[in-house]
Amino acid sequence: MTNQALIIDDEPDILELLDITLTRMGISADRAENLSVARKLLATNRYQLCLTDMRLPDGNGIELVKEIQHQHPQTPVVVFTAHGNMDTAIEAMKAGAYDFITKPVDLEQLRQLVTSAVAVTTTPTAVNVQESLIKGQSPAIVNLREKIIKLARSQAPVFISGESGSGKELVARSIHLQGPRAQAPFVAVNCGAIPAELVESEFFGHRKGSFTGAQKDKPGLFQAAHGGTLFLDEVADLPLDMQVKLLRAIQEKAIRAIGDAEETKIDVRILSASHKDLTEAIANGEFRADLYYRINVIDAPVPPLRQRGEDIVLLAEYFLEQFAQDYNDEKAPLTENAKSALLNYDFPGNVRELHNILERAYTLCDGHVIDALDLQLNVLPNSAHLGAAPGPGAQPEPRSNTATGYDESIPLDDYLSDIERDILLNTLDKYRWNRTLAAKALGITFRSLRYRLKKLGLDNDEQ
């Protein structure tokens, strides 16, 4: 079946240009010079796409966007805006527009946008995408899933808010996988993990010889995500000067690599997230208000785990099944006391903390059953100590780094991992890599030994 589009503009030359362009793409088009004609056509035809100008003789294009969103929610609407008028574009996308394009029209950009928009109505949504990524049946998660379905059908920038560990990247992936860009790249980047002096090169790429050490051309994250989705996690951590350049890239849909004389058009959907309150960051001068309004066209809050009720047990059971598969072992069930303890715990670290708690309990529990004590929910990391606690007013005895042999130039986690690795290798060598005897000698379970070997990259059976 031939796809059909409705194009609305009061300029005959624009209508002619759009009609010719769509026809060459195999899309038949009906023309309307105002809202009245457009409404009559919409009442008698089913369109796979609508292209409309914002300023029309008998009204505003946003009125039509809202009407189509209500009466024909399956039809994506692309709006034309004047160059640089991002406020109008944002208003249109908040009203439900699929995307926008500026005048004068770039035909290559128009063709890419039309292809993407038509795919919304012609490509089946991936089956069970949300269920495979976002587990749970709580009202908060059901509402989030419903919102994701709507967000996937738009190209509007989405800001995913929520506490650390609540699953913001899973929401971003679900939006991507249920939209027309599902077969294109999904590129996720933690903005706070990139050194400030490298952030521009990482985002936009660079040309050979553009700075010391640039020995060859290097594409950036925008180029890697071309045609797909770029997820900016912890976007609040971007340096202010980079925020300006990101804003321009979003507005102009173009980037300039370091050392390049010309801009390159990009086709990327922007999703972003942060556990920080961006309005507070704006008040503190740490985040640009204009960038905030560009990336937060639509807000998608992710509920913390403590507000998800029985989802906690559902997620726990899912994680335990995954651990059993990963270690080729039987599943360790939760006792009723363990389930009750999980339901009454606050989970400040959310789903990520639940995963870590269960992995530790699965590894160290006795008898392949996880009880409340195995979860260690009342043990806070900062409260762990050796020996008896000092009495009131007593000062802890200072420990010498020289006495412990710890070199402060080495990160503590790396230092402890090296010690654990040496102990495991020496014990395994002693027992000729008989893991059962080695685990017994170390006073740990066989499962715990296997977990530690995997964590340290020593689980090669050929060793």
Side-chain angles (χ1 to χ4, degrees), residues 91-150:
E91 185 181 357
M93 287 191 289
K94 284 185 175 180
Y98 175 79
D99 206 342
F100 71 95
I101 190 168
T102 58
K103 289 184 176 181
V105 176
D106 182 307
L107 291 182
E108 179 58 32
Q109 189 176 12
L110 174 64
R111 283 190 284 267
Q112 291 178 352
L113 187 51
V114 167
T115 300
S116 175
V118 170
V120 170
T121 55
T122 59
T123 304
T125 301
V127 179
N128 294 328
V129 169
Q130 294 194 66
E131 286 77 0
S132 64
L133 293 178
I134 304 173
K135 305 291 182 182
Q137 298 299 329
S138 62
I141 288 300
V142 171
N143 290 337
L144 179 60
R145 286 204 190 105
E146 292 175 352
K147 189 165 191 175
I148 286 173
I149 293 173
K150 296 178 181 178

Side-chain angles (χ1 to χ4, degrees), residues 54 76 115 192 211 218 224 239 249 255 262 305 322 367 403 429:
M54 292 298 290
T115 300
F211 55 85
K218 175 182 178 295
I255 60 169
E262 298 180 354
L305 185 57
Q322 293 300 305
D429 284 340

Side-chain angles (χ1 to χ4, degrees), residues 251-421:
Q251 291 185 163
E252 301 299 327
K253 297 187 176 181
I255 60 169
R256 188 193 304 272
I258 298 175
D260 203 338
E262 298 180 354
E263 287 189 334
T264 302
K265 291 291 184 180
I266 51 162
D267 174 26
V268 172
R269 185 179 189 184
I270 299 292
L271 305 178
S272 56
S274 178
H275 74 280
K276 296 181 180 178
D277 185 339
L278 289 190
T279 56
E280 183 178 327
I282 292 171
N284 295 335
E286 298 170 352
F287 200 81
R288 293 181 61 94
D290 48 5
L291 178 58
Y292 172 74
Y293 293 119
R294 298 300 183 266
I295 65 175
N296 191 23
V297 173
I298 303 175
D299 181 33
V302 183
L305 185 57
R306 59 183 171 275
Q307 294 179 5
R308 294 176 55 180
E310 289 292 335
D311 282 357
I312 295 173
V313 175
L314 184 152
L315 285 167
E317 299 286 1
Y318 169 74
F319 288 144
L320 291 173
E321 289 176 0
Q322 293 300 305
F323 299 150
Q325 293 178 16
D326 291 343
Y327 295 112
N328 194 26
D329 202 351
E330 61 183 279
K331 178 182 173 182
L334 292 165
T335 66
E336 291 304 314
N337 286 338
K339 293 179 182 179
S340 178
L342 289 173
L343 290 171
N344 287 286
Y345 183 60
D346 199 42
F347 287 104
N350 291 292
V351 180
R352 184 184 298 125
E353 182 183 14
L354 173 63
H355 180 279
N356 293 340
I357 286 171
L358 291 168
E359 186 168 21
R360 180 184 63 214
Y362 177 84
T363 303
L364 302 177
C365 71
D366 293 324
H368 280 70
V369 175
I370 297 176
D371 200 3
L373 290 177
D374 296 314
L375 300 172
Q376 301 180 39
L377 296 181
N378 295 323
V379 180
L380 299 177
N382 292 334
S383 66
H385 57 82
L386 296 173
Q395 296 296 321
E397 183 178 343
R399 294 176 62 86
S400 166
N401 283 342
T402 303
T404 62
Y406 173 52
D407 181 353
E408 292 182 349
S409 66
I410 303 173
L412 182 59
D413 287 343
D414 294 344
Y415 178 76
L416 294 175
S417 293
D418 287 343
I419 293 175
E420 185 177 11
R421 182 181 288 103

Side-chain angles (χ1 to χ4, degrees), residues 39-104:
R39 288 179 176 126
K40 291 178 182 178
L41 290 170
L42 283 166
T44 56
N45 297 279
R46 179 182 178 185
Y47 296 103
Q48 282 70 50
L49 173 66
C50 178
L51 302 167
T52 182
D53 194 11
M54 292 298 290
R55 294 184 178 182
L56 295 164
D58 54 348
N60 191 308
I62 291 181
E63 298 174 21
L64 187 65
V65 171
K66 292 178 180 178
E67 290 176 20
I68 293 176
Q69 180 72 6
H70 176 68
Q71 300 171 7
H72 311 278
Q74 303 303 314
T75 303
V77 184
V78 175
V79 299
F80 296 103
T81 65
H83 181 74
N85 195 349
M86 275 298 295
D87 291 338
T88 303
I90 290 173
E91 185 181 357
M93 287 191 289
K94 284 185 175 180
Y98 175 79
D99 206 342
F100 71 95
I101 190 168
T102 58
K103 289 184 176 181

Side-chain angles (χ1 to χ4, degrees), residues 132-250:
S132 64
L133 293 178
I134 304 173
K135 305 291 182 182
Q137 298 299 329
S138 62
I141 288 300
V142 171
N143 290 337
L144 179 60
R145 286 204 190 105
E146 292 175 352
K147 189 165 191 175
I148 286 173
I149 293 173
K150 296 178 181 178
L151 294 178
R153 299 183 57 80
S154 166
Q155 293 304 292
V158 178
F159 179 70
I160 306 168
S161 58
E163 298 177 5
S164 292
S166 56
K168 296 186 290 296
E169 183 172 341
L170 291 182
V171 171
R173 287 185 181 276
S174 188
I175 292 172
H176 169 76
L177 290 173
Q178 294 198 80
R181 298 175 181 266
Q183 302 305 314
F186 175 88
V187 178
V189 55
N190 187 321
C191 298
I194 305 174
E197 64 274 12
L198 298 178
V199 67
E200 183 177 359
S201 174
E202 287 295 313
F203 272 83
F204 304 140
H206 62 251
R207 296 300 185 192
K208 178 180 178 181
S210 57
F211 55 85
T212 302
Q215 299 179 358
K216 60 180 180 179
D217 289 353
K218 175 182 178 295
L221 295 167
F222 272 90
Q223 292 96 322
H226 184 70
T229 302
L230 179 59
F231 174 53
L232 307 176
D233 197 8
E234 299 304 342
V235 68
D237 292 336
L238 280 175
L240 284 170
D241 61 337
M242 185 58 201
Q243 292 179 27
V244 177
K245 295 168 183 174
L246 176 61
L247 174 62
R248 175 174 173 76
I250 295 173

